[in-house]
Amino acid sequence: MADPDTTYSIEGEEQLWNELSRIVGVECPAEAHETIDDALRSWLYLAARCRDDFSQSEDDIANCSQSLLDGPLFQTNPEYVRTQIIYSLLQEDEAGPLYVIASFLLLDGRADEATFKRMIEEGCFHRLLELINGRKEDDPGLHRLLLELMYEMSRIEQLRLEDLLHVDDGFVTYLFQLIEGFSDDVHDPYHYPIIRVLLVLNEQYMVASTTSMNDPVSPTAPLTNRVVKCLSLYGPHYRTFGENIILLLNRETETSLQLLILKLLYLLFTTKATYEYFYTNDLRVLLDVIIRNLLDLPNELMALRHTYLRVLYPLLAHTQLNQPPHYKKDEVQKLLKILAGSGNTHFAPVDETTMRLVDRVSKVKWLSDDGAGASEVARKFLGISLSHTDVASNISVVHVAAVTEKPGVQTPSRKAEAEAEVRGETKSEITHPNTSEEVKEVPRPSRPKRPLPEVPKHRHGIPYVPSGHENGSRSSAKKPPPKAPPPRRRGRIKHTATSETVKSISELV
C-alpha cells in the first residue's frame, strides 16, 4: 500500500502528528475507494516515518494506529479499510510499514475478533510464518510484534488444515532455540510471546486431531503435533521452555491461557517420550500450583477444575513424582477427599465427572493406601453409586481439547471472595466496584467476655472496707499498703511524732 512516490517535507515530530491527524480525519463517501486508498497510503507512509525517523516507542506507533481506528477515515467504511490493510500485510516487505500494519491489525483484532477471523480466511497465517521464521535479527521489535499477532489470531479461530501443514519442524525448533537463547534473562520481552505461540500451536494441533477423528472426509494420515514431537526428540535441550510454562501457570490469572498450558502438560504427561521432560523440582512446584488452584477455584468453574484433574493423574502416575520419597502425599489425599465432598461444607455438591476424575487420581498406586477410591467415598457420603464404566475413566484428549474460554476472562478466586466477605463486600461489588448501593457490613462473631475475678473481702485475715470515694474502678482492687515496721529504739526520736504514727497504725488494726 505504501506509495514510494508520496513525499512529505516533514521537519519535526509535531508537524508529523498534525499531518497524521489531518489524514485520519478525511471524510468521504463509503464508496469513494480511491480517496480512501490515497489517504491510507499517506497514513502508512507517515506512521512508518514516525518509527524510522522520530520515535522507536511502541506507544507512539500504537497511537498512530488508534488514531486511524477512531478517525472518520476508518469509520466511513471499516470493512474496506481492514481489507486493504490485510492485503498490505500479504504484500509488504519493508520493516517500517510492516510494523505499522501489524500494530493496527493487533489493536483492531483485539477490539473486534472478526478481524482475526478475516485474516485466517485470507491466508495471513502462512504469511506470518514466513515473516517470523529466522528473521529475528532483522528487526527484533517487528519480530516480537508479529509473534503477538500470530498468537492473538490463532487463539480466536481454528486454523485451516493447510495452514498447519505449513508449520514444519524447523520453525518449531527455531522458536525453542530462541527461548534457550534468552534463558539468562527471564524478564526478556521475547520469552512470553514465543511461549504463547508454541502453546497455541499445540492447541491447534489438538483441535485438528479431534476434528479429523469425527470427520469422515478428513485425510487418513494423522496430523503430526510438531511441538510435542520436538520435545519428544530434543526435550533435554529445551528445558527452559518447561520451566517457563510452570512459572507462567503459577502467575497467570487468565483462564484461556491456563487452559493452553494445561493442554500441553496433559500431552507431555501422557506421551511416554516426555514423561521425564521436566526437572523433578519443577514437577514439585507444579504439584503445589495445581493443589493451590484446585482448592481456590469457585464451584462454578467445573470445566477448568476437570482439566486440572485430568492433568493431575498422569503427573502423579507417569512422572518422577511416582518415585519415593513421594512428595506431598498427605496433601494430595486431603485434596481428593475435599473434592469428593468428604466432610466438607464449603464446596457445592460434587458432580459425577469430578467424582470420576477424583476416583481415577486416587487409584494412583503410591496414593491408594487401602484401595478405596472415589466410588467408595461417593457411596458413603453422597448416597450415589458410580458404575464400572463411570469409575473407569474414559477421558481422552478429545475432552481436554474441547475446553475453551474467551480470551481476557480472568479466573475468579475463592480466597479473594472470602476476603471480600470478611470486609463486608459482595461478589457483585468485587466485579462492579463503582456500584452506588450500600452493602451492609457483615457482623463479626464476638468472643464471650470472661468474668473478672472477684475482689476478696479479706486480705490476710484483715477486713477490707472500701473508702467512700471508690467507685468500683480498677483502683479499688489495689492492695492496701503493708504495715509500717516498728520504730527503732536507738537514736533520738521525737515522741510526739512517734506516738501519733503508732496510734494511726493501731487504728487500722
Side-chain angles (χ1 to χ4, degrees), residues 48-65:
R49 282 283 308 274
C50 178
R51 180 174 187 261
D52 294 338
D53 300 337
F54 295 100
S55 175
Q56 287 288 329
S57 172
E58 297 178 5
D59 293 337
D60 286 340
I61 307 304
N63 288 335
C64 291
S65 301

Side-chain angles (χ1 to χ4, degrees), residues 145-325:
L145 189 63
L146 293 173
L147 286 168
E148 292 181 2
L149 182 59
M150 174 179 279
Y151 167 71
E152 295 288 351
M153 180 185 70
S154 301
R155 71 171 179 163
I156 292 298
E157 186 80 0
Q158 181 179 352
L159 296 175
R160 302 173 303 178
L161 182 60
E162 53 267 32
D163 291 331
L164 287 176
L165 290 175
H166 286 299
V167 181
D168 57 11
D169 293 341
F171 177 74
V172 175
T173 303
Y174 169 69
L175 295 182
F176 279 119
Q177 289 174 347
L178 285 179
I179 296 174
E180 290 299 318
F182 300 119
S183 60
D184 295 335
D185 184 9
V186 295
H187 300 292
D188 192 282
Y190 267 101
H191 259 99
Y192 288 149
I194 301 172
I195 291 172
R196 287 194 288 259
V197 167
L198 288 168
L199 291 173
V200 79
L201 282 178
N202 173 74
E203 183 189 48
Q204 289 288 346
Y205 282 122
M206 295 179 71
V207 173
S209 64
T210 57
T211 303
S212 62
M213 293 170 57
N214 301 323
D215 187 3
V217 298
S218 63
T220 55
L223 187 65
T224 301
N225 186 330
R226 300 193 181 276
V227 177
V228 176
K229 175 186 176 181
C230 185
L231 292 178
S232 300
L233 296 176
Y234 313 109
H237 299 289
Y238 305 128
R239 293 280 177 86
T240 302
F241 172 76
E243 297 171 3
N244 277 273
I245 62 174
I246 293 178
L247 179 64
L248 189 58
L249 182 64
N250 184 33
R251 297 176 177 178
E252 191 55 51
T253 58
E254 186 180 356
T255 305
S256 62
L257 192 50
Q258 290 185 55
L259 289 170
L260 288 179
I261 298 171
L262 292 173
K263 290 175 182 181
L264 179 58
L265 291 175
Y266 176 84
L267 289 185
L268 294 179
F269 296 149
T270 54
T271 303
K272 191 171 183 179
T274 54
Y275 281 176
E276 299 185 2
Y277 163 68
F278 294 92
Y279 291 114
T280 303
N281 286 340
D282 292 336
L283 292 175
R284 291 174 177 175
V285 173
L286 176 60
L287 180 58
D288 290 335
V289 172
I290 292 178
I291 292 175
R292 181 200 67 195
N293 290 354
L294 278 173
L295 291 175
D296 195 42
L297 286 177
N299 296 325
E300 61 269 18
L301 296 184
M302 288 189 295
L304 185 57
R305 181 180 296 108
H306 295 164
T307 308
Y308 270 108
L309 286 172
R310 285 165 182 153
V311 172
L312 182 59
Y313 170 75
L315 169 65
L316 300 177
H318 298 158
T319 68
Q320 301 96 296
L321 294 184
N322 62 15
Q323 301 297 321

